[in-house]
Amino acid sequence: MSDDAGLQALREAARLSPDNLPLRQHLAGLLLAKGYLADAEAEFRAALVLAPKNPDLTAGLAEAFVRQSAYGPALAALEPLLAEPGYPPRLGILAARALIGEGDMGRAAYRYFEAINRDASLVDAELATRLTPGGPGSPWPPAAAPPAASPPQVSPPPPSAPPPPASPAAPPLYAAPAMAGQQPVAGGPATRESTSEVERAGLTFADVAGMEAVKEALRMKLLLPIQQPDLFAAYGKRAGGGVLLYGPPGAGKTHLARAAAGELGAAFVNVGLADILDMYVGSSERNLHATFDLARRNRPCVLFFDEVDALAGRRSDMRQAHTRQLVNQFLAELDGVDQSANEGVLVLAATNAPWYVDGAFRRPGRLDQPVFVPPPDQAARAAILRILCRDKPLAEMDFDAVARVTEHFVGADLKGVVDRAVEAKLQQSISAGRPIPLSTPDLLAAARTVRPTAVREWMATARNYVMHANDSGAWDELMPWVKGKW
Ligand code: ADP
């Protein structure tokens, strides 16, 4: 039987038993290998109906797209899987290829380096060459970012200056008809109650162990302008604007933001992206506008956006016009409709993936000050443990001993250790019929059962950015960290 006759027989077999997944997968793979790309695409699609999110089928479909230069559809096929932790690294390589096709070299580099970190056999000399600095694009921040943000303290816009221009793509605010009972607001989408809530944070910086440099940066940027308005006004500086906190997951960004609000006596609004990203086009914009309004009504207020990269990384992504609209809306809200719109509203955003964040977010007056929230060193780990244990019944504790055996643990991991030790102690206390205080061996035992989260992986990715994509100096602050032992 000739090759093509074999293929024909397979096609016929697939037609006769359309639910036979292994058969369809085999046929799709063969079509791809032989370069029948449109047929392969159709066959992978059909197989994915039988097994949605199957990584092999998704990879096949994405490859068929990439080889047809259909980069957007390739990314659309890959994205649901890429969003899941532990996705197969080869999908990252395919995403890198598609992103290069779209000219998004920053995100392509991120995907490529992350993939080869997780699976060294995927190293691809051609991709690596295309992604080295000096190539056709560079990641955040753009080289064209105005230098006015540096040093921030002495470069405020004069009070009479107009607000910085909105992003070049003027925000195409949602113009759908207002829903029943909702009045449109001039300059913004239809009003709606925010899905976020206002908190009064009981925390202050005293509840945040270590991080002295980070606290100092936040004091300067956020707290002093409100606490000492006259002094700041003398230098033409107003309260407001934003800070981008970045660092490994669990290092304490949310905790820090909450403490900053408490330190200031400000309200705290914590916005998860799930609160904002709404499946109905236009609802997200209304949600976002309502959330900013909520903060403005409760000023002084710290408005905290977690995982801002998910929102911030996609503005150039033409496939997702809806997300792009939302990002433009976000930028417009940050800029404010007039000088005083955001006075007393302090925007803190957090990300584990700062390299995804669109450069437009970093312009002066927006999230113009990136602040690295580092993983804790040994002294900071002991201090975090002390804070986490302070309201528990304790025997004499040697927190330093626990800090010594928890290298690479971040605050969230240490909280896990304490929670686990407390659970075990509670059980013992219930059996004994009396409270038994927590002791050092309890924490040491719990530490042995907790695996630290991804600090080392995060540092490996950061190292790639510092070493290979730092032309603009954006990652200089990370240099001493990534050179350390991880
Ligand atoms: P991130 O936002 O960076 O992912 P979180 O702020 O959610 O991390 O940190 C998780 C938990 O770890 C916090 O709720 C807090 O209990 C604890 N934690 C983290 N860093 C510190 C710190 N420096 N001092 C005290 N507790 C901390």
Side-chain angles (χ1 to χ4, degrees):
M1 202 188 310
S2 80
D3 242 17
D4 278 354
L7 201 54
Q8 205 43 48
L10 265 180
R11 283 189 205 258
E12 186 57 19
R15 196 180 63 77
L16 290 173
S17 61
D19 294 338
N20 185 335
L21 182 62
L23 177 66
R24 300 208 79 147
Q25 184 163 358
H26 180 60
L27 173 60
L30 215 58
L31 289 166
L32 186 64
K34 286 179 177 294
Y36 298 115
L37 299 177
D39 289 356
E41 178 197 321
E43 206 47 53
F44 277 118
R45 274 184 201 278
L48 274 163
V49 173
L50 300 175
K53 279 197 160 186
N54 176 307
D56 292 328
L57 297 173
T58 306
L61 179 62
E63 188 177 334
F65 279 135
V66 169
R67 285 169 59 187
Q68 296 176 88
S69 306
Y71 304 117
L75 288 168
L78 290 167
E79 259 166 15
L81 290 184
L82 295 178
E84 287 177 9
Y87 64 83
R90 71 204 149 91
L91 298 187
I93 298 283
L94 279 165
R97 288 220 167 85
L99 286 162
I100 290 176
E102 290 215 318
D104 191 343
M105 306 309 270
R107 288 173 67 205
Y110 176 84
R111 284 294 175 204
Y112 175 71
F113 290 130
E114 188 179 61
I116 62 167
N117 264 324
R118 288 175 52 205
D119 181 352
S121 72
L122 294 172
V123 167
D124 179 320
E126 192 223 322
L127 272 184
T129 314
R130 296 188 67 180
L131 291 171
T132 43
S138 65
W140 171 83
S150 160
Q153 295 92 321
V154 293
S155 58
S160 57
S167 86
L173 300 178
Y174 180 63
M179 291 179 190
Q182 292 184 334
Q183 292 301 315
V185 166
T191 51
R192 133 183 206 151
E193 280 310 301
S194 167
T195 46
S196 306
E197 285 174 11
V198 180
E199 290 176 36
R200 287 279 155 194
L203 302 176
T204 67
F205 279 163
D207 300 289
V208 181
M211 299 199 204
E212 293 313 323
V214 181
K215 287 186 214 168
E216 197 44 43
L218 288 181
R219 267 197 203 101
M220 191 67 195
K221 171 76 184 170
L222 301 181
L223 308 184
L224 291 181
I226 287 190
Q227 287 168 349
Q228 311 226 358
D230 296 344
L231 185 64
F232 274 71
Y235 287 91
K237 189 112 183 95
R238 293 176 304 120
V243 171
L244 179 68
L245 299 172
Y246 72 98
K253 298 181 285 297
T254 311
H255 189 63
L256 195 65
R258 200 170 254 121
E263 190 80 15
L264 187 66
F268 183 69
V269 174
N270 186 357
V271 188
L273 270 181
D275 299 333
I276 293 292
L277 292 170
D278 196 300
M279 63 187 291
Y280 300 107
V281 175
S283 296
S284 318
E285 285 86 338
R286 285 198 296 273
N287 247 334
L288 189 63
H289 183 68
T291 302
F292 268 87
D293 263 2
L294 181 72
R296 289 172 190 134
R297 284 200 304 275
N298 286 279
R299 60 185 100 197
C301 181
V302 170
L303 184 50
F304 177 68
F305 290 92
D306 205 1
E307 295 177 24
V308 75
D309 49 287
L311 185 70
R314 302 185 172 190
R315 202 168 59 113
S316 63
D317 188 343
M318 298 304 288
R319 286 167 303 112
Q320 304 234 10
H322 159 213
T323 314
R324 200 175 72 249
Q325 248 183 348
L326 181 64
V327 169
N328 284 333
Q329 168 88 31
F330 192 103
L331 295 173
E333 296 287 354
L334 274 179
D335 292 342
V337 283
D338 61 50
Q339 281 260 305
S340 58
N342 287 340
E343 203 146 339
V345 175
L346 309 170
V347 178
L348 284 181
T351 178
N352 305 331
W355 23 82
Y356 269 7
V357 175
D358 192 312
F361 279 74
R362 305 244 357 259
R363 304 240 169 88
R366 294 177 178 169
L367 305 175
D368 53 7
Q369 212 173 14
V371 172
F372 178 48
V373 179
D377 60 13
Q378 190 180 314
R381 290 196 298 277
I384 292 174
L385 286 164
R386 202 166 282 120
I387 285 181
L388 290 169
C389 288
R390 68 186 163 189
D391 57 349
K392 319 261 185 284
L394 298 177
E396 197 160 317
M397 300 299 283
D398 183 355
F399 290 114
D400 292 323
V402 185
R404 271 196 297 279
V405 301
T406 47
E407 206 189 350
H408 302 139
F409 281 51
V410 289
D413 303 324
L414 296 171
K415 187 166 186 310
V417 169
V418 171
D419 287 348
R420 205 166 274 201
V422 166
E423 271 165 34
K425 212 75 231 175
L426 259 177
Q427 275 181 0
Q428 283 177 26
S429 300
I430 289 166
S431 308
R434 64 187 163 81
I436 308 176
L438 199 64
S439 65
T440 309
D442 295 327
L443 289 184
L444 291 171
R448 282 193 288 275
T449 67
V450 173
R451 268 177 59 81
T453 38
V455 175
R456 299 173 84 173
E457 289 80 354
W458 191 91
M459 281 295 175
T461 303
R463 184 177 299 119
N464 281 322
Y465 272 88
V466 173
M467 300 302 177
H468 305 292
N470 194 30
D471 278 359
S472 60
W475 313 118
D476 286 353
E477 192 186 8
L478 288 176
M479 191 69 85
W481 289 93
V482 302
K483 285 193 168 162
K485 197 170 130 283
W486 290 99

